[in-house]
Amino acid sequence: MKRKTGQDRSITSTWRPATVAVRGGTARSDFGETSEAIFLTSGYCYDNAEQAAARFRGEEKGMTYSRLQNPTVEMLEERLALMEGAEACRVSSSGMAAMSATLMSTLSAGDHLIAGRAAFGSCRVLVDTILPRFGVETTVVDGRDTDAWKRALRPNTRAVFLETPANPTLDIVDLRAVADIAHDAGALVIVDNAFASPILQRPLEMGADIVAHSATKLMDGQGRVLAGAVMGPEEWMEKTYLAFTRHTGPILSPFNAWVVLKSLETIDLRVRRACENALKVAQFLETRVPRVLYPGLASHPQHQLAMSQMQAGGTIIAMHVDGGRKQAHALLDALALIDISNNLGDSRSLMTHPASTTHASMTEAARLEMGIDEGMLRFSVGLEDAEDLIDDLAQALKAAGV
Ligand SMILES: *Cc1c(COP(=O)(O)O)cnc(C)c1O
């Protein structure tokens, strides 16, 4: 397959993010198709037996099997590597496949991991339950407290794992400070960047070593496919991540890779518009509900830090009503435009009650420690007109007696 003239890193890495999102990684076949092709094939044929042998020896570049390489998947990986400013990227079947493969390939029995307390529900299960089954020691800390990361260090701390902004409380972790603490102790810094996307935040530029994503969220951004991605140094990718995933196989289907490739063409527009909407909606909510958490509002306790790491406040708002679960559920049930859904990062605005859905499997004490009370709602702001979202919220707040 021929790469379009100019698709070499020395040129593409100088492109600005919006250009990379449209053109990065495009590789055209001999047909010269404009839009990236979908290669739905599990295997590849060779011109002769010696060519097959040379590919398996690694002496000739080329495809051998779609668990290992696929042209459509590689286009997406190259585009995402450029977007995060990484040497290498591998995509996976879901965000959790990316998170679990990153942690399981990096950590061995006897290693210690420190993770932020506020996190996506399944990430907490990985840290609290699954990794310890394999002999990995784990500690969770309040990610906002930079000293807590330092205090949790042990001689065998191999990595730190964090989300910022974190789900669903929108805690911000000081990326530069935590990266310095981890690096002084010889630990790797792994960041789940799903809530920000590379459009708003590039953790590798602030000291992170590895970035992992749920591409299901803002990258697809239209609620269609599950996908994940991991970006980091070429050497770690080859010797650590691929040494694990080549044989465990959490790969992305070429069709889903193609869907995400198409979505990335509009990610810059979508994320910026959703952030504008979120700010307008958060400003409205601030006048109506007891507590709103949105990193783009001056009232967010870590607003300054958030704005020093992110280009805008993001697309997720957390809010609290005083009447507990009953009032929170009443508000959800009164929504006419905004959907009740635990997904996020969609072009449609979606709202959920974390205590009874995404974080229902945790104990109440663990939820409260994270800041998730019964009156909390998480709002993923989409691409509708902000005025229509505000109208819907206004009538639902009234109906729920807020
Ligand atoms: C959704 C999400 C995940 C998991 O991704 P899936 O694609 O659902 O597997 C991990 N981390 C964060 C922050 C998420 O929002």
Side-chain angles (χ1 to χ4, degrees), residues 278-294 296-301 317-319 393 397:
L279 182 60
K280 286 181 194 160
V281 167
Q283 284 165 342
F284 162 77
L285 286 170
E286 212 171 23
T287 65
R288 298 295 177 94
V289 300
R291 200 150 87 94
V292 179
L293 282 167
Y294 178 65
L297 286 178
S299 61
H300 187 286
I317 300 169
M319 62 178 173
L393 288 165
L397 287 164

Side-chain angles (χ1 to χ4, degrees), residues 94-96 99 120 123 163 192 194-195 214 216-217 226-227 344:
S94 69
M96 286 321 300
M99 305 299 157
F120 188 74
C123 290
E163 266 176 55
D192 177 345
F195 265 40
S214 168
T216 313
K217 310 296 168 53
L226 273 86
L344 58 93

Side-chain angles (χ1 to χ4, degrees), residues 6 9 34-35 40 52 71 73-74 76 83 85 99-100 124 130 155 170 175 230 330 356 361:
R9 272 285 177 102
T34 317
S35 173
L40 276 177
V73 170
E74 286 191 355
L76 176 60
M83 288 179 74
M99 305 299 157
S100 57
R124 279 296 301 267
I130 299 176
L170 304 170
L175 278 169
V230 178
S356 58
S361 66

Side-chain angles (χ1 to χ4, degrees), residues 76 93 225-227 252-261:
L76 176 60
S93 53
V225 298
L226 273 86
L252 186 63
S253 117
F255 181 78
N256 287 0
W258 178 83
V259 172
V260 180
L261 267 171

Side-chain angles (χ1 to χ4, degrees), residues 7 15 40 64 77 101 106 132 151 158 161 179 194 201 228 261 301 315 330 346 369 375:
Q7 287 279 320
W15 288 349
L40 276 177
T64 55
E77 290 171 338
T106 301
R151 286 195 302 274
R158 175 89 182 88
F161 177 44
Q201 173 172 278
L261 267 171
T315 66
D346 195 330
E369 201 192 16

Side-chain angles (χ1 to χ4, degrees), residues 368-389:
L368 288 175
E369 201 192 16
M370 265 175 76
I372 304 173
D373 60 34
E374 291 287 330
M376 180 194 225
L377 290 159
R378 186 191 73 195
F379 184 19
S380 170
V381 182
L383 299 177
E384 303 92 338
D385 191 304
E387 293 306 317
D388 287 326
L389 297 175

Side-chain angles (χ1 to χ4, degrees), residues 188-387:
L188 277 178
V189 178
I190 304 167
V191 176
D192 177 345
N193 199 28
F195 265 40
S197 90
I199 300 301
L200 300 181
Q201 173 172 278
R202 305 221 301 172
L204 297 177
E205 291 172 355
M206 291 181 270
D209 301 295
I210 293 149
V211 171
H213 271 282
S214 168
T216 313
K217 310 296 168 53
L218 291 166
M219 287 182 177
D220 173 42
Q222 288 145 91
R224 300 170 297 190
V225 298
L226 273 86
V230 178
M231 295 80 157
E234 186 69 56
E235 193 184 338
W236 175 85
M237 196 62 82
E238 191 61 36
K239 294 192 176 148
T240 303
Y241 186 83
L242 285 171
F244 179 82
T245 57
R246 272 195 195 103
H247 310 290
T248 50
I251 54 146
L252 186 63
S253 117
F255 181 78
N256 287 0
W258 178 83
V259 172
V260 180
L261 267 171
K262 296 294 96 189
S263 299
L264 289 176
E265 294 176 8
T266 56
I267 189 174
D268 192 83
L269 289 169
R270 287 186 286 105
V271 171
R272 286 178 202 286
R273 168 60 89 84
C275 288
E276 284 170 26
N277 280 356
L279 182 60
K280 286 181 194 160
V281 167
Q283 284 165 342
F284 162 77
L285 286 170
E286 212 171 23
T287 65
R288 298 295 177 94
V289 300
R291 200 150 87 94
V292 179
L293 282 167
Y294 178 65
L297 286 178
S299 61
H300 187 286
Q302 296 171 289
H303 174 66
Q304 297 279 335
L305 174 62
M307 293 302 103
S308 73
Q309 302 186 158
M310 296 165 70
Q311 284 199 24
T315 66
I316 312 286
I317 300 169
M319 62 178 173
H320 296 258
V321 294
D322 285 336
R325 180 177 300 206
K326 195 157 176 273
Q327 194 172 43
H329 277 194
L331 199 159
L332 286 173
D333 291 342
L335 293 168
L337 171 65
I338 299 159
D339 289 307
I340 306 171
S341 172
N342 51 282
N343 194 13
L344 58 93
D346 195 330
S347 50
R348 290 156 198 80
S349 292
L350 308 173
M351 198 183 290
T352 195
H353 179 245
S356 58
T357 60
T358 55
H359 292 72
S361 66
M362 300 178 82
T363 63
E364 192 179 6
R367 275 199 300 270
L368 288 175
E369 201 192 16
M370 265 175 76
I372 304 173
D373 60 34
E374 291 287 330
M376 180 194 225
L377 290 159
R378 186 191 73 195
F379 184 19
S380 170
V381 182
L383 299 177
E384 303 92 338
D385 191 304
E387 293 306 317

